[in-house]
Amino acid sequence: MSNITDLGIKAIRDGVRDGTFSAREVAEAFNANVAAGKELNAFLVETPEHALAAADAADKARAAGEELAPMAGVPVGMKDLFCTDGVEATAGSHILEGFTPQYESTVSANLWKAGAGMLGKLNMDQFAMGSSNETSAFGNVISPWRRNDGGNTDLAPGGSSGGSASAVSGRLCPAATGTDTGGSIRQPAAFVGISGIKPTYGRCSRWGVVAFASSLDQAGSMAHDVTDCAIMLQAMAGFDPKDATSLDLPVPDWENALSGDLKGKRVGIPKEYRIDGTPKEIDDLWEQGAEWLRDAGAEIVEISLPHTKYALPAYYIIAPAEASSNLARYDGVRYGQRELPDGAGLQDMYAATRAEGFGPEVKRRIMIGTYVLSAGFYDAYYTQAQKVRSLIARDFEQAWEHCDMILAPTAPSAAFGLGEKADDPLAMYLNDVFAVPASLAGLPAMSVPGGLDGQGLPLGLQIVGKALDEQSVLNAGLAIEQRAGFTARPDKWW
Ligand code: GLN
């Protein structure tokens, strides 16, 4: 048998069920890879004992002849945005350093209920703001991938779920949670050659997930393939009365209904996504993806999403506006860090704590958000952006009259080098151009690896579906996966 750590969720789950290996062996193998993978800086906290305890429970249940839970014996990584009981949660920021939640997020609780264990908490862009993981207060996450130019430039794993991307791609964990506010599951998945799905807004509870932009934040799964993404998302999702935006709907059996047969389906190619300056390799892969879906039985149709060009500016008003409000709670009183200069009053403590605790990108977002919500500018920016958001949602509604899903690139570039865009926030924001429209409309969207570019780096294809139709998104992802034959993986250097 190949190495246990080469396996994904389904293979591990089935192997534990069949007794090919024990869950303890699986947990020990991944714990060892986590311990040996420090150079990637993917983990902020390691929790080997959590993974072992879940594994022992799975082995015991099997020995007792009990039916095993859907993810019994599968250890996963948790993005540090999720609060897990008794384990430090920082959201990648100094301001939360030392904060140990005494409660469990609904998504992590659901995973533990499904038999999964936790390998640790994963590094991320600070408060999930970023596309490269460079805004983390705890150092850059390094992608396991290298360009094929013989150099050893450290590459960004994407963001904000960069720790999740790096850890799955480097086989430190078979799968990980991510969150996606404007692309943070899909873009990092694309950068490291793995799959990742953001479900319909409301499928996964936001309870116990550190808030960035509440009307956009949505949890999802990141794993080696589409089937694994389906299994894990199924375990994470579900109605939660503790989140007012949670959808009171049953979770479909996505895994069981997976099919790469797209006969009778129409796939839309949005003409506004053909953007000047997109590298030819990305356009070519997009065309190839359409060819693959045609081969799977789908009809390809050109569609129009006329307000696409306003999506990015609207996102970068709405997300900071909500962030400025959500992040007001970090005041030095309730959580984590407190700066109390000698003789300081209450206001001084707030100011000192926030000045020390937040990183530069977070401060930029708070300032932008406060500005666009201020009395004099609210209508000019925030109200306008909300109107644009409605128009973008309407674009998709109209598109669904002509197609069942949409195919697009995930990101306008392959992974870039660490530092290459760090000084230019606008260039960084532009990386989200293909990801944010689906976020603004609350639609399910996924990235699957399609191929490698000339530098030997992965490129992703994105599928966007109708609200609540994760199944079509997963099925189209599977159809691409079956035809792309993407088996490339990074050479181990760490
Ligand atoms: N890169 C985007 C941003 O910085 C999206 C982040 C996310 O989805 N959490 O806002």
Side-chain angles (χ1 to χ4, degrees):
M1 195 191 68
S2 58
N3 229 321
I4 283 184
T5 53
D6 287 339
L7 304 178
I9 295 178
K10 182 174 192 294
I12 293 172
R13 177 195 71 186
D14 294 349
V16 168
R17 281 185 188 172
D18 302 345
T20 312
F21 38 72
S22 68
R24 178 162 264 268
E25 283 174 87
V26 176
E28 281 172 351
F30 280 103
N31 280 341
N33 274 13
V34 172
K38 300 216 193 301
E39 266 183 271
L40 300 175
N41 198 28
F43 280 86
L44 294 175
V45 183
E46 297 173 17
T47 55
E49 63 304 326
H50 192 292
L52 288 173
D56 289 346
D59 288 336
K60 205 166 132 215
R62 183 174 184 275
E66 291 166 20
E67 198 187 323
L68 291 189
M71 284 186 65
V74 182
V76 298
M78 292 297 295
K79 185 176 183 179
D80 202 31
L81 211 59
F82 294 85
C83 291
T84 58
D85 192 2
V87 181
E88 186 179 20
T90 62
S93 180
H94 279 309
I95 209 158
L96 272 172
E97 234 174 328
F99 167 59
T100 302
Q102 301 302 308
Y103 49 85
E104 193 72 47
S105 75
T106 301
V107 161
S108 54
N110 287 347
L111 284 168
W112 314 152
K113 225 182 298 155
M118 175 164 66
L119 292 159
K121 302 295 294 293
L122 293 158
N123 202 347
M124 52 178 284
D125 275 306
Q126 191 160 157
F127 285 106
M129 297 170 188
S131 307
S132 64
N133 222 114
E134 288 164 292
T135 74
S136 168
F138 305 106
N140 294 335
V141 174
I142 315 229
S143 169
W145 290 82
R146 293 255 148 108
R147 291 184 179 123
N148 60 10
D149 57 6
N152 55 1
T153 309
D154 283 338
L155 299 177
S160 64
S161 311
S164 309
S166 179
V168 174
S169 154
R171 315 255 164 190
L172 275 50
C173 49
T177 54
T179 62
D180 193 310
T181 301
S184 279
I185 287 176
R186 292 162 282 158
Q187 182 256 21
F191 274 22
V192 301
I194 64 170
S195 297
I197 182 164
K198 168 198 107 69
T200 309
Y201 180 79
R203 276 280 191 207
C204 288
S205 168
R206 289 181 294 106
W207 196 81
V209 185
V210 176
F212 164 12
S214 306
S215 76
L216 296 155
D217 298 343
Q218 190 51 210
S221 51
M222 300 171 74
H224 291 299
D225 59 30
V226 172
T227 307
D228 285 1
C229 282
I231 297 171
M232 185 164 172
L233 186 63
Q234 218 163 304
M236 296 164 65
F239 174 59
D240 178 10
K242 288 190 289 211
D243 171 1
T245 59
S246 165
L247 293 166
D248 191 358
L249 292 169
V251 180
D253 188 344
W254 290 308
E255 181 193 4
N256 202 29
L258 270 179
S259 160
D261 181 357
L262 301 186
K263 257 189 246 53
K265 296 281 183 188
R266 287 169 304 171
V267 175
I269 306 288
K271 62 172 193 254
E272 291 79 7
Y273 281 43
R274 293 205 185 92
I275 295 172
D276 279 349
T278 306
K280 183 170 178 324
E281 288 169 306
I282 289 181
D283 276 335
D284 289 350
L285 177 67
W286 189 12
E287 230 164 82
Q288 173 68 69
E291 214 28 69
W292 285 328
L293 294 179
R294 190 176 289 129
D295 184 59
E299 184 194 339
I300 308 296
V301 294
E302 183 166 280
I303 56 156
S304 173
L305 298 169
H307 297 90
T308 298
K309 71 171 179 227
Y310 304 114
L312 200 61
Y315 171 85
Y316 276 99
I317 289 172
I318 292 167
E322 295 187 22
S324 72
S325 160
N326 272 326
L327 272 56
R329 65 178 62 121
Y330 303 105
D331 54 6
V333 177
R334 283 174 281 196
Y335 316 89
Q337 191 179 357
R338 170 178 304 164
E339 294 299 320
L340 191 57
D342 274 352
L346 189 62
Q347 292 293 344
D348 306 318
M349 184 194 71
Y350 293 160
T353 300
R354 290 167 69 83
E356 273 296 309
F358 289 134
E361 181 62 27
V362 176
K363 287 180 187 159
R364 175 162 30 238
R365 306 271 180 129
I366 292 174
M367 285 191 283
I368 293 172
T370 310
Y371 179 78
V372 300
L373 289 175
S374 62
F377 297 98
Y378 188 94
D379 282 340
Y381 291 102
Y382 187 68
T383 308
Q384 283 294 95
Q386 291 290 27
K387 287 182 185 161
V388 169
R389 184 175 188 174
S390 301
L391 291 173
I392 285 168
R394 202 177 65 188
D395 282 356
F396 282 106
E397 281 306 318
Q398 287 170 347
W400 301 138
E401 288 166 17
H402 308 284
C403 64
D404 303 288
M405 58 204 120
I406 290 167
L407 178 74
T410 306
S413 73
F416 42 84
L418 289 169
E420 280 173 21
K421 288 188 203 287
D423 299 332
D424 185 350
L426 284 184
M428 193 68 89
Y429 298 170
L430 271 175
N431 218 260
D432 304 329
V433 65
F434 298 130
V436 296
S439 299
L440 289 167
L443 301 175
M446 118 168 269
S447 178
V448 289
L452 298 176
D453 74 355
Q455 312 178 91
L457 299 180
L459 296 174
L461 282 169
Q462 179 181 207
I463 302 117
V464 181
K466 298 178 188 171
L468 303 179
D469 192 12
E470 285 81 4
Q471 193 69 60
S472 291
V473 172
L474 290 160
N475 287 356
L478 184 66
I480 291 174
E481 181 179 286
Q482 288 166 342
R483 287 163 182 80
F486 185 89
T487 52
R489 49 188 286 185
D491 291 330
K492 189 169 181 305
W493 52 261
W494 56 96

